[in-house]
Amino acid sequence: MQLRRNRSTRALWDPAYVDETWINQAVTLIPRLRTWTDTYYYPGTPIGITEYNWGAETHINGATTQADIYGIFGREGLDLAARWTTPDASTPTYKAMKMYRNYDGNGGAFGDTRIRTVSSANPDSLSVFAAERSTDGALTVMVVSKVLSGTTPVTVSLGNFSPATTAATWQLTSANAITHLSDIAISNATLSAAVPAQSVTLFVIPKSGCVAIR
């Protein structure tokens, strides 16, 4: 079930993914909604998904799925989404939401301008999303490890961005806590790390000559 949940988020965007429920066809939901509005209504009309829920709120698999969904929503240009319902604040899934909206308890948030990312990883195993934060110009990179065991090496190469020498790192794991880890060095616009199985890791990368506010 965990592996199937990992795959299932591709129904939001991937034309090659055949939904594994009774639907049994490619859904490609967000691009489909955009095509409908642009073709049959008015181009550029905002689109939204309401009352979505991928389950497993009390399990880390539900958390990595929620983190993946948030990243997909941003990358695919969804204008609005409403979850059914808000998970309890003690759950990993709620904390996955906090990784985007308040990872440090002081309003630290994922960026508000999406940045194109290219990943060689299998999206069923690892997803990467990036955005620039307008408040301080920091680049925020969210890495979602979906594998059920073992660590995964990650190398992030930064193009068209002049980074500082270190990145602040925050991480959610099956321990069900958001932890502020030690800063990670950046050399030649490249960051290297190893992320644990079933985890959500946020790298906050200031611009050169700046210090991240959060």
Side-chain angles (χ1 to χ4, degrees):
M1 179 59 72
Q2 293 183 64
L3 293 175
R4 180 169 173 173
R5 184 174 287 109
N6 289 346
R7 297 190 299 270
S8 68
T9 58
R10 287 166 55 192
L12 293 168
W13 63 274
D14 187 357
Y17 176 70
V18 176
D19 192 281
E20 297 174 62
T21 68
W22 58 270
I23 295 174
N24 195 35
Q25 61 180 296
V27 176
T28 328
L29 185 57
I30 299 174
R32 184 188 295 256
L33 289 174
R34 177 60 64 202
T35 298
W36 281 349
T37 56
D38 288 351
T39 303
Y40 303 113
Y41 191 58
Y42 187 83
T45 298
I47 58 174
I49 296 173
T50 61
E51 298 194 4
Y52 76 90
N53 190 318
W54 252 257
E57 293 179 356
T58 61
H59 194 279
I60 188 63
N61 184 243
T64 55
T65 303
Q66 179 64 59
D68 193 36
I69 289 168
Y70 267 0
I72 292 168
F73 285 170
R75 184 191 67 201
E76 299 298 318
L78 190 71
D79 296 288
L80 177 146
R83 197 181 188 281
W84 182 266
T85 59
T86 304
D88 188 272
S90 66
T91 64
T93 300
Y94 182 89
K95 290 166 187 171
M97 298 167 77
K98 283 189 67 175
M99 287 289 288
Y100 280 91
R101 301 304 305 147
N102 189 19
Y103 58 83
D104 60 357
N106 291 305
F110 193 66
D112 47 335
T113 299
R114 67 182 182 224
I115 300 296
R116 181 173 178 265
T117 60
V118 177
S119 173
S120 61
N122 181 342
D124 298 338
S125 301
L126 187 135
S127 296
V128 182
F129 308 98
E132 186 174 13
R133 196 162 61 190
S134 60
T135 54
D136 60 359
L139 180 65
T140 55
V141 180
M142 195 74 73
V143 177
V144 183
S145 173
K146 307 179 188 180
V147 295
L148 305 189
S149 62
T151 59
T152 301
V154 174
T155 299
V156 179
S157 299
L158 308 173
N160 301 311
F161 182 81
S162 297
T165 56
T166 60
T169 307
W170 302 77
Q171 191 173 81
L172 172 66
T173 68
S174 59
N176 193 23
I178 297 175
T179 303
H180 187 188
L181 305 179
S182 299
D183 289 356
I184 291 181
I186 298 174
S187 178
N188 297 320
T190 299
L191 176 157
S192 296
V195 295
Q198 297 192 299
S199 63
V200 183
T201 304
L202 173 64
F203 300 108
V204 180
I205 307 167
K207 285 185 175 180
S208 178
C210 299
V211 176
I213 296 173
R214 300 184 177 95

